[in-house]
Amino acid sequence: MTVSVVLYTSDLRVHDHPPLRAALARADAVVPLFVRDPAIDGTGFAGPNRRAFLADCLTDLDRRLRDRGGRLVVRAGDPVDEVRAVMKEADADEVHMAAGVSRYAQGRERRLREALAADGHRLHVHDAVITALPPGAVTPTNSDHFAVFTPYLRRWSAQGVRAVLGAPRTVRVPDHVRSQPLPARDDITGTSPGLARGGESEGRKRWKAWLRDGIDRYGERHDDLAGDATSKLSPHLHFGTLSCAELVHHARARATPGAEDFVRQLCWRDFHHQVLAARPRTASADYRTRGDRWRSQESAAQDILAWQEGRTGYPIIDASMRQLLHEGWMHNRGRLLTASFLTKTLYVDWRVGARHFQRLLVDGDIANNQLNWQWMAGTGTDSRPNRVLNPVLQAKRYDPDGAYVRRWVPELAGLPGAAVHEPWKLPGRERERYDYPEPLLELADGLGRFKRARGID
């Protein structure tokens, strides 16, 4: 009997899974394997929210494999060592896995390829499993990646996305390959109280509901903070419980402006992955340095803490940060506003904000989190690196009646309409009724400091 190993990473599904389908086509049996890597825990990347969501994903993946006669094998340790051990145990002769883009993923793939070659085995790495198009599928003349989104979008849109693969009917797994117990969400402490459930079953249910009720109006509603009208599919894309290629196909079939706007967002995700694949160092270093002399974390410590806890005195910022604390997720408009506020109004290094988001965000993807932070800090691919978002004007535009702020900043719930966005303007005695901090600083002062630091006075 021939056996192949399918190494799962950020692709925790059975639908539209090229490595699984290829392994099943080439072998009599497969070992679906997930390795819990302590090196990832050591980097601080595996925060409680993502570990809890991952536990859901693994439980659901195991259930779906068992429905097909198989099961998920879980191990803990160095991925290369564990894959080799499983191959020996199962008498397997090849491994299939999805391509990754981070420095760590690329290093893991290289080490695994070298180790398997030394053992006389093969590694098959499959593209377009985590993204719709492989990171290097479209490149400009004289460069290995696109640094500007719009031309990338044009080229990306002209490319055909691979065909969607159905879920296999049968998955045969050797009985004697041992597995550790699946992790359980209930065993993980420190999670956000409103954290969503994970797993392919939940992801596909949410996707079907989004196709039915949300996608066609996405363009007109996606910036409505109170309307909560985004798909909330980003955690499922991050863990790969949904296939980006499948989402593109189904969205394009709608042929509506809202669906096309949604596809554009999926393209942004591919764009950031192709930047990181070409420039792995941008996970921690400026893509384009601006010579910033960021405030030290010591001197800005109180401002950073107030930002993290949602106590800046700017209600739209605080509402967004409190949503993050409660849900492990934040509306995209809120992400832009809070990132602009930290990096340009408070003039704090984008890496401080990116680390905080990575600790809490269930969809904390290295490519999208780090490069979106760089976009707002002006050190990334933004063609307007010195733009500053005014939180008051943005609040009045995207939360005009203040419903989003009142939802997440209940101490201001008594303020009517747009008045909730500027509580500091209340008359003295009325202001005293609200247990809410004064603004950390005047917006004009923050803007002036930023301009001086960037030399753009």
Side-chain angles (χ1 to χ4, degrees):
M1 182 176 71
T2 57
V3 181
S4 293
V5 171
V6 178
L7 179 60
Y8 277 94
T9 55
S10 299
D11 49 343
L12 304 177
R13 62 182 186 269
V14 296
H15 283 84
D16 193 36
H17 197 281
L20 179 60
R21 292 304 299 264
L24 288 169
R26 294 169 63 95
D28 300 312
V30 301
V31 179
L33 172 66
F34 182 84
V35 179
R36 301 174 64 181
D37 186 351
I40 293 178
D41 294 341
T43 64
F45 182 74
N49 286 337
R50 283 194 298 284
R51 286 192 288 116
F53 199 91
L54 172 63
D56 292 345
C57 294
L58 296 177
T59 298
D60 189 68
L61 178 58
D62 180 65
R63 183 185 305 117
R64 284 178 165 257
L65 289 167
R66 288 182 184 276
D67 288 343
R68 293 160 172 81
R71 62 190 170 95
L72 180 65
V73 173
V74 176
R75 298 288 182 92
D78 179 81
V80 174
D81 294 341
E82 294 304 319
V83 168
R84 295 177 76 185
V86 167
M87 292 190 74
K88 184 176 181 180
E89 199 171 320
D91 195 23
D93 52 17
E94 62 182 24
V95 176
H96 295 259
M97 68 180 297
V101 300
S102 69
R103 188 193 301 270
Y104 179 79
Q106 292 178 22
R108 177 180 58 198
E109 179 186 320
R110 182 182 62 256
R111 291 195 305 117
L112 187 56
R113 189 182 300 280
E114 292 171 352
L116 293 183
D119 293 341
H121 301 312
R122 293 188 62 189
L123 173 66
H124 302 273
V125 178
H126 298 261
D127 288 325
V129 180
I130 294 170
T131 54
L133 293 183
V138 292
T139 56
T141 305
N142 300 323
S143 181
D144 57 356
H145 72 288
F146 276 92
V148 180
F149 176 69
T150 301
Y152 177 79
L153 172 64
R154 286 195 294 266
R155 290 281 299 279
W156 185 91
S157 299
Q159 296 291 311
V161 176
R162 64 167 178 78
V164 176
L165 304 173
R169 293 184 178 182
T170 303
V171 178
R172 182 182 180 187
V173 179
D175 293 334
H176 60 279
V177 179
R178 62 181 179 82
S179 175
Q180 294 181 350
L182 292 166
R185 172 188 280 235
D186 292 344
D187 295 335
I188 299 167
T189 60
T191 59
S192 294
L195 181 67
R197 304 297 303 188
E200 183 177 11
S201 299
E202 180 66 25
R204 295 191 74 80
K205 180 171 69 175
R206 184 175 289 276
W207 169 239
K208 290 177 181 177
W210 173 243
L211 277 178
R212 182 182 66 247
D213 300 326
I215 194 170
D216 293 335
R217 297 186 61 195
Y218 177 71
E220 61 191 86
R221 299 184 62 202
H222 73 276
D223 273 324
D224 178 3
L225 282 159
D228 199 22
T230 61
S231 71
K232 288 194 172 180
L233 295 174
S234 53
H236 293 282
L237 285 166
H238 172 62
F239 284 92
T241 57
L242 289 176
S243 157
C244 190
E246 184 178 4
L247 266 57
V248 170
H249 275 292
H250 288 176
R252 282 177 171 169
R254 303 288 294 190
T256 63
E260 192 54 43
D261 285 332
F262 180 71
V263 171
R264 179 186 175 91
Q265 295 305 311
L266 296 176
C267 180
W268 266 112
R269 182 174 180 272
D270 272 20
F271 173 76
H272 285 145
H273 277 76
Q274 59 97 38
V275 173
L276 186 64
R279 300 290 183 273
R281 63 186 297 274
T282 56
S284 58
D286 290 344
Y287 181 81
R288 292 190 178 110
T289 184
R290 305 296 175 187
D292 284 299
R293 300 178 299 280
W294 303 107
R295 296 168 66 197
S296 70
Q297 290 192 54
E298 292 74 21
S299 65
Q302 292 304 309
D303 287 353
I304 293 170
L305 182 62
W307 176 82
Q308 291 174 337
E309 295 180 347
R311 296 185 295 102
T312 68
Y314 287 95
I316 198 68
I317 302 299
D318 295 341
S320 300
M321 296 302 294
R322 294 185 195 186
Q323 181 181 27
L324 173 63
L325 287 167
H326 183 80
E327 294 187 353
W329 185 89
M330 189 194 297
H331 191 287
N332 182 61
R333 177 56 51 176
R335 299 187 198 207
L336 298 177
L337 294 176
T338 55
S340 175
F341 188 83
L342 184 72
T343 59
K344 290 174 175 173
T345 302
L346 298 181
Y347 199 56
V348 171
D349 193 329
W350 65 266
R351 282 158 281 241
V352 174
R355 283 194 296 271
H356 182 69
F357 272 32
Q358 286 287 21
R359 282 194 295 270
L360 290 170
L361 279 177
V362 66
D363 61 7
D365 182 279
I366 285 288
N368 290 295
N369 186 61
Q370 310 302 86
L371 291 171
N372 272 316
W373 267 96
Q374 291 218 45
W375 174 275
M376 289 313 304
T379 65
T381 60
D382 189 2
S383 59
R384 295 171 54 196
N386 297 319
R387 78 173 83 197
V388 179
L389 300 181
N390 183 304
V392 177
L393 297 180
Q394 291 273 309
K396 292 178 178 179
R397 181 175 180 181
Y398 297 114
D399 186 32
D401 64 358
Y404 178 76
V405 164
R406 278 187 288 275
R407 182 183 306 158
W408 294 109
V409 188
E411 59 266 42
L412 297 179
L415 282 172
V420 76
H421 297 308
E422 299 174 287
W424 56 86
K425 288 187 174 181
L426 294 172
R429 183 164 294 180
E430 185 177 356
R431 175 70 183 88
E432 292 173 1
R433 292 170 47 199
Y434 296 95
D435 182 20
Y436 183 73
E438 294 297 319
L440 287 178
L441 77 171
E442 294 285 344
L443 294 178
D445 293 340
L447 180 61
R449 174 173 56 193
F450 172 71
K451 286 184 173 181
R452 290 190 298 273
R454 285 271 171 101
I456 54 176
D457 277 337

